Amino acid sequence: MIQLADIRKTFQTGQGIVQALENINLSIGEGVFLTVMGASGSGKSTLLSLIGMLCSPTEGLMTVKGRDTGRMSDCQKTLWRREKIGFVFQFPSLVNTLNVRENVVLPKLFSGKITQADWDRADFLLDGVGLGEKLHNRSYELSGGEQRRVALARALINDPEMLLADEPTGALDEDTAIRIMQILRDINRQGKTVVMVTHDGKLAEWGNRLIRLKNGRIEYDSG
């Protein structure tokens, strides 16, 4: 599904050039649950951003389903992200003025309009993450774990082929973290590709493939 060949990523900062990733060669097949581990600053989030086409490599070739992302326009990348990828970040970033149901269908506004089918899918997804009885609650009325589950449902509203999750269980208690991981595993078992960044070795075991980054390089790949 995604191929990264000889990828290098650098950033220009006030202190000079920072090398975030170096010599990354990685193939991510459809339906895999890949967990990415590494110390702070090892390049985990940068790698996830590259996979999600939120940034571009400085050097190297990245392809998605055979398409060279370097030859894709910004508009094509935006369309790909909207239709093919769901993003879940450590902070759910819900809109406080909207209720749970409205937060989930929010990405549909980028398609121009929200249909009844979209509302029905939002209800279905919220029921799937155990929030079917809180459709009309505001985000500030939810616990941290519940807000994460709303964010998961929102990431799935466009039925993406791939879900990218950056520390989705950060700062959650163990029971709530396990609930989130169960949902991610269920999503993967439905045939969707999941790529998750985590610092927790126990949570990484929920995936079926693990890579570890060190100083911007792949130190270990379980294959």
Side-chain angles (χ1 to χ4, degrees), residues 173-191:
D173 63 85
E174 183 177 359
D175 290 343
T176 305
I178 289 174
R179 178 74 179 271
I180 295 294
M181 293 307 303
Q182 288 171 335
I183 294 171
L184 290 175
R185 183 181 61 188
D186 290 344
I187 290 169
N188 174 247
R189 287 176 174 175
Q190 293 168 18

Side-chain angles (χ1 to χ4, degrees), residues 20-92:
L21 295 172
E22 177 72 18
N23 193 34
I24 298 295
N25 290 279
L26 181 65
S27 176
I28 303 173
E30 294 186 13
V32 71
F33 189 153
L34 172 66
T35 52
V36 182
M37 294 192 67
S40 177
S42 62
K44 303 187 300 298
S45 294
T46 300
L47 178 61
L48 205 67
S49 294
L50 281 173
I51 294 171
M53 285 189 277
L54 295 174
C55 65
S56 301
T58 305
E59 295 178 8
L61 174 68
M62 175 175 158
T63 61
V64 290
K65 292 195 170 182
R67 297 179 64 184
D68 180 355
T69 60
R71 296 181 179 272
M72 295 171 67
S73 67
D74 289 342
C75 184
Q76 288 173 324
K77 290 179 181 180
T78 298
L79 188 63
W80 183 274
R81 286 193 298 267
R82 189 176 75 194
E83 296 184 351
K84 305 294 185 181
I85 302 175
F87 294 92
V88 181
F89 301 105
Q90 182 173 352
F91 303 102

